[in-house]
Each structure stands twice: as structure tokens, then as C-alpha cells.
Amino acid sequence: MKQQKQLGLWLLVFVSLGSMIGSGIFNSPKDLIHVANPMGTLATWIFGGIGALMLALVFIYLSAKKPELKSGIYAYARDGFGDYMGFNSAWGYWSL
């Protein structure tokens, strides 16, 4: 007879936590439209879009200047500022 696999308590806690965070991200724009000024909402979307575009352009520029670096933000920071800043940039980037 095969033993059935069961989800442990911690796995269930993290699955439910991830579901709550994920649903919050998708509900935020809808909730923002109901409570905020439409012009403020539009400005937020425009500034956020410009910021995302600038970040993408920075990574395009970095990948063209240093094609040998393959580890993303960590490799760029480590190459430019040393091991300590490379670690801090990777830790800060992924902790948010």
C-alpha cells in the first residue's frame, strides 16, 4: 500500500500567505480607482510606467556594456563597487 503525501502545517501557512499577497496585488488597482482622484491614479500609472521603462533601459545598457556578466544586479554591483556592495544590492533587491 502506498503512503499518501500530506501537506504540513508550514506549507499550508505559506500557501495561504502567498494567496493573500497575490490577491492583494491584483485588487490594488481596482481599489485605487474607487477611492482616489482619477487624475492622481492616471499620474501614478504614468510615473510607474516611466520608472519601469527607465529600469528596463538601465539593464539593457548594462548588458550591452558588460555582456560577460551573467548574474543580474548582483554581478553589476559587484563588478562596479566590490563584493560587499554586490551582496547588499542582491539582498536588498530580493528582500523587497
Side-chain angles (χ1 to χ4, degrees):
M1 182 172 179
K2 280 184 139 180
Q3 182 181 4
Q4 288 183 328
K5 292 184 178 183
Q6 296 180 350
L7 296 177
L9 174 65
W10 287 109
L11 184 57
L12 289 173
V13 167
F14 289 127
V15 166
S16 62
L17 185 66
S19 297
M20 287 187 282
I21 291 171
S23 65
I25 289 170
F26 291 117
N27 284 334
S28 293
K30 178 183 66 118
D31 296 338
L32 181 66
I33 289 171
H34 289 297
V35 297
N37 180 354
M39 293 306 287
T41 304
L42 185 61
T44 302
W45 278 99
I46 289 172
F47 290 136
I50 291 170
L53 178 65
M54 293 297 120
L55 184 62
L57 290 174
V58 163
F59 281 118
I60 288 171
Y61 176 77
L62 285 172
S63 67
K65 287 295 245 182
K66 297 276 190 173
E68 70 275 3
L69 298 177
K70 303 288 184 199
S71 300
I73 196 164
Y74 164 73
Y76 297 126
R78 187 190 65 207
D79 188 57
F81 304 108
D83 288 335
Y84 180 72
M85 288 307 294
F87 170 77
N88 282 333
S89 66
W91 186 83
Y93 184 77
W94 290 110
S95 69
L96 296 175

